[in-house]
Amino acid sequence: MKNILKNKYDLQQIRISGKITANVLEMIQPYIIPDISTEEINKICHHYITHVKKAIPACLGYNNFPKSICISVNDVICHGIPNKKSFLKTGDIVNIDVSVIKNNYYTDASKMFSVGPINKKNKLLCKIAQNSLYLSLKCIKHGARINNIGKIIQKYVEQNKFSIVKEYCGHGIGKNFHDLPYILHFYNKNDSTIMREGMVFTVEPMVNEKSSHTKCMEDGWTIKTKDGGLSAQYEHTILVTDIGCEIITHQENEKIPKIFINT
């Protein structure tokens, strides 16, 4: 347990890294327009991370992943690979997943973007994915069971007639990209893990329009919905505190506080 609890120095560095990750997602917003290629978006983010923020894109080269960020469009659930032949079009929904390393510390966040006007159902899908993450933050605090996170997410998503992806989960993060604890986005009654002050992990629910079933494409990375339904995801890096939690990757345009007090 001691290895996954962060000390004061760890948290100083994680907050620096987290601010950069948030800044990338803030910076890229104006570029999400029709006819831009996903490779061009990747190049813009890569330059910003490496030259402006003097950080390292954590995805690049991770298990041979070939790009600096993940871009998942429409029915791609996660791990979409930017491509110079893939162009955004009006009505698309797009997840951009950013992970950076600064001073040897990792942080990770993603959010949905719309390309021009999108229809009501797609807008609702993105809203439910975001709300499911936000709602789960209200249960995070020292001493609480970690499976409450998945319980809240699953209940909310299914009440709204969407489905939650079960194959991919949140994870501890800090000096390692992926670490303990694992954060399931559905309820596992057998998980007795207790949240402790100083834990840092991601919460990253993936919500599907239709069924929760997934398929991996031939590139070994891109995960799509099996039935062609659309998918949406939001992700934050979260610190557990003694009275609640802190959103390490909080962005300026979010309508929730950076600090949650969950008594």
Side-chain angles (χ1 to χ4, degrees):
M1 181 66 73
K2 289 182 179 179
N3 293 333
I4 64 172
L5 299 181
K6 307 304 189 282
N7 61 36
K8 187 175 180 180
Y9 177 79
D10 293 332
L11 294 178
Q12 286 175 340
Q13 300 307 315
I14 288 170
R15 288 187 178 105
I16 292 169
S17 175
K19 183 65 175 174
I20 295 170
T21 295
N23 288 161
V24 178
L25 290 169
E26 293 163 348
M27 174 277 301
I28 201 61
Q29 173 76 60
Y31 298 96
I32 309 304
I33 57 175
D35 301 323
I36 191 171
S37 72
T38 54
E39 172 61 18
E40 184 63 23
I41 296 169
N42 177 78
K43 286 181 178 179
I44 293 167
C45 289
H46 178 87
H47 181 270
Y48 184 81
I49 294 167
T50 58
H51 287 76
V52 179
K53 294 298 185 179
K54 309 300 181 185
I56 299 168
C59 290
L60 185 60
Y62 178 76
N63 289 342
N64 296 315
F65 190 82
K67 302 295 179 178
S68 296
I69 60 171
C70 299
I71 305 180
S72 302
V73 183
N74 293 334
D75 64 336
V76 178
I77 297 170
C78 61
H79 305 158
I81 301 174
N83 189 317
K84 63 183 179 181
K85 296 181 180 179
S86 174
F87 296 90
L88 300 185
K89 62 183 185 299
T90 300
D92 285 345
I93 59 171
V94 185
N95 177 270
I96 295 182
D97 192 343
V98 176
S99 306
V100 307
I101 311 167
K102 182 68 173 181
N103 301 328
N104 298 315
Y105 284 85
Y106 293 78
T107 51
D108 196 359
S110 81
K111 65 174 290 186
M112 297 302 296
F113 297 84
S114 57
V115 184
I118 61 173
N119 66 39
K120 287 183 179 180
K121 187 164 187 180
N122 294 351
K123 190 177 291 185
L124 179 62
L125 173 65
C126 295
K127 183 180 178 180
I128 295 303
Q130 186 178 48
N131 286 350
S132 73
L133 168 58
Y134 287 173
L135 283 171
S136 74
L137 302 182
K138 296 179 180 180
C139 80
I140 298 177
K141 63 179 179 179
H142 176 82
R145 289 186 63 154
I146 215 159
N147 64 4
N148 287 337
I149 297 172
K151 186 176 184 180
I152 289 170
I153 290 171
Q154 183 177 20
K155 181 179 180 181
Y156 178 76
V157 167
E158 293 178 352
Q159 280 179 341
N160 284 278
K161 310 302 181 185
F162 294 109
S163 62
I164 192 76
V165 173
K166 297 181 174 66
E167 290 91 338
Y168 302 92
C169 63
H171 51 87
I173 193 166
K175 287 185 177 179
N176 298 313
F177 197 171
H178 297 92
D179 208 342
L180 294 174
Y182 297 118
I183 309 298
L184 302 181
H185 303 116
F186 61 95
Y187 183 52
N188 175 13
K189 65 180 181 180
N190 297 318
D191 187 351
S192 60
T193 306
I194 301 296
M195 290 181 261
R196 300 295 182 195
E197 181 181 0
M199 279 185 176
V200 178
F201 50 71
T202 68
V203 182
E204 46 185 297
M206 303 168 199
V207 178
N208 288 357
E209 175 189 8
K210 298 178 181 177
S211 81
S212 63
H213 300 302
T214 69
K215 61 181 179 181
C216 185
M217 307 310 288
E218 289 183 2
D219 60 30
W221 280 104
T222 305
I223 306 299
K224 289 190 173 186
T225 61
K226 200 166 186 178
D227 56 19
L230 302 195
S231 188
Q233 180 192 19
Y234 281 83
E235 175 184 15
H236 270 308
T237 297
I238 305 297
L239 164 66
V240 180
T241 68
D242 58 338
I243 55 171
C245 66
E246 175 183 339
I247 306 174
I248 297 292
T249 48
H250 189 272
Q251 292 137 51
E252 287 184 358
N253 60 354
E254 293 193 77
K255 297 177 181 179
I256 56 168
K258 181 180 176 68
I259 306 292
F260 276 68
I261 299 173
N262 301 325
T263 54

